[in-house]
Amino acid sequence: MEWYAAHTIIAFQREDGVGPISVCENIYLVCAQNSHSALGKAKLISDNEVNNNDGTTINGHSAKCIYGGVRKIVTICNERPPQYEARPDDGSEISYIEYELENAEDLKEIISGNSISMNFIE
């Protein structure tokens, strides 16, 4: 059995379609025989998340929760051997996200927690 980080996408949108669509990328820890099995588990977890948000509202307006899919499955790598089969531990790399920035000033902004425009690579 190996450990995986499953990146899943769910979105929230007002039933009347007014306003932005709020997107959440949830990252779940999954233990499975292989990445295909991890994908199946991640889909079940996401389905449950969508069902648990049935009847949600946005600013008092009825809204729907939309299952977007599994964006990626990442094999978790531990700092010490065995890197892939052992349960995640202190220092394990759980997941990663890559994006491109236009310049060093944007890097400073994102490190400070400010909003910027960026190119998401994955």
Side-chain angles (χ1 to χ4, degrees), residues 4 8 16 18 21 25 31 40-41 46 52 57 66 70 77 84 88 92-93 97 111:
Y4 299 89
T8 66
D16 60 12
V18 173
I21 298 172
E25 180 167 347
C31 184
K41 282 186 165 186
S46 291
N52 289 339
T57 61
I66 305 159
V70 178
C77 184
Y84 301 107
S92 296
E93 180 182 4
I97 299 172
I111 290 170

Side-chain angles (χ1 to χ4, degrees), residues 11-109:
F12 296 90
Q13 182 179 28
R14 281 179 40 170
E15 291 282 354
D16 60 12
V18 173
I21 298 172
S22 177
V23 179
C24 298
E25 180 167 347
N26 298 317
I27 305 169
Y28 296 102
L29 184 61
V30 177
C31 184
Q33 289 283 26
N34 53 48
S35 61
H36 182 73
S37 296
L39 177 64
K41 282 186 165 186
K43 287 178 179 178
L44 287 174
I45 292 168
S46 291
D47 283 342
N48 288 336
E49 184 72 21
V50 170
N51 291 334
N52 289 339
N53 282 289
D54 189 32
T56 192
T57 61
I58 297 174
N59 296 326
H61 298 275
S62 63
K64 58 186 172 185
C65 183
I66 305 159
Y67 170 67
V70 178
R71 192 173 69 76
K72 72 177 178 176
I73 300 288
V74 177
T75 304
I76 293 174
C77 184
N78 292 310
E79 188 174 89
R80 296 175 299 283
Q83 269 95 10
Y84 301 107
E85 296 83 14
R87 181 179 282 264
D89 196 5
D90 186 39
S92 296
E93 180 182 4
I94 302 302
S95 193
Y96 62 91
I97 299 172
E98 290 183 61
Y99 41 86
E100 290 180 346
L101 304 176
E102 291 293 321
N103 52 53
E105 201 54 44
D106 284 350
L107 179 59
K108 289 178 187 174
E109 289 296 313

